[in-house]
Amino acid sequence: MNIIEFVKSIVQEFPKIAEVCNEIHVDFTEDTPTNYGLSSSGDTLIKRYVNGDEVRQHTFSLYAVYQSINDYDRIINSGVLLELQMWLENYAKGQQFEFEVGNKIFSCELRKLTCANGMLYAIPNENMNDAVQYQLQISAKYNLYKGDLNNEY
């Protein structure tokens, strides 16, 4: 399971996800309410240790499509994103996962998830009576354990 699959699985564990989301897609959403899309924006090396272990950060945009007929709906939508953000930042720290690069399997540990800029992002059909799209930016900082300098990709 790579970092994208891992973060998607964490978002799916949000206790209220069934109330607000039918499915989480990768890299796209549909223009219908209760639709989420987790889009990867890249992975960055933060630090490399002498033994080859790394601290990395992967960034995402989570797009959520909700109905938006009135102010009440938009307050509920923003509230759900705020609750998801707070839950993500407090839930996942220290979880372990593994993924394969080439023929090697690397052990990883999530250090923290941070979230920012949860906001109304787009009005896909140019009509507030239809679904609107919100965005939440997520950063996943994690340790990738290589163990020694000879363990190359």
Side-chain angles (χ1 to χ4, degrees), residues 1 8 11 14 17 40 45-47 55 81-82 86 90 104 113 122 130 140 149:
M1 173 181 304
K8 179 183 175 192
V11 173
F14 176 54
I17 200 71
S40 170
L45 174 65
I46 304 294
K47 184 188 304 185
V55 177
L81 284 179
L82 177 61
M86 294 175 78
N90 291 294
K104 306 233 183 258
L113 289 175
D130 289 335
L149 293 174

Side-chain angles (χ1 to χ4, degrees), residues 1 15 17 29 46 57 60 74 79 97 99 107-108 118 139 141:
M1 173 181 304
I17 200 71
T29 58
I46 304 294
Q57 181 167 300
F60 301 89
R74 290 184 290 279
F97 64 102
F99 72 94
S107 296
C108 300
S139 293
K141 191 178 222 181

Side-chain angles (χ1 to χ4, degrees), residues 68-127:
S68 177
I69 295 173
N70 54 41
D71 283 343
Y72 176 77
D73 286 335
R74 290 184 290 279
I75 289 170
I76 296 297
N77 299 343
S78 294
V80 167
L81 284 179
L82 177 61
E83 192 172 341
L84 174 60
Q85 172 183 337
M86 294 175 78
W87 184 83
L88 286 171
E89 289 179 344
N90 291 294
Y91 172 73
K93 185 176 180 179
Q95 289 192 35
Q96 310 262 327
F97 64 102
E98 292 183 339
F99 72 94
E100 187 172 344
V101 177
N103 294 329
K104 306 233 183 258
I105 296 175
F106 296 98
S107 296
C108 300
E109 180 180 359
L110 186 64
R111 293 174 65 142
K112 67 179 177 176
L113 289 175
T114 54
C115 303
N117 301 324
M119 63 183 181
L120 182 63
Y121 178 74
I123 305 169
N125 298 319
E126 298 179 12
N127 180 350

Side-chain angles (χ1 to χ4, degrees), residues 20-65:
V20 296
C21 175
N22 288 328
E23 187 174 359
I24 299 173
H25 301 286
V26 174
D27 289 336
F28 79 96
T29 58
E30 297 171 359
D31 288 344
T32 55
T34 68
N35 203 285
Y36 279 38
L38 184 65
S39 182
S40 170
S41 358
D43 201 271
T44 304
L45 174 65
I46 304 294
K47 184 188 304 185
R48 181 173 286 131
Y49 295 99
V50 173
N51 70 350
D53 292 350
E54 298 175 350
V55 177
R56 304 192 66 87
Q57 181 167 300
H58 200 96
T59 55
F60 301 89
S61 291
L62 179 69
Y63 298 101
V65 180

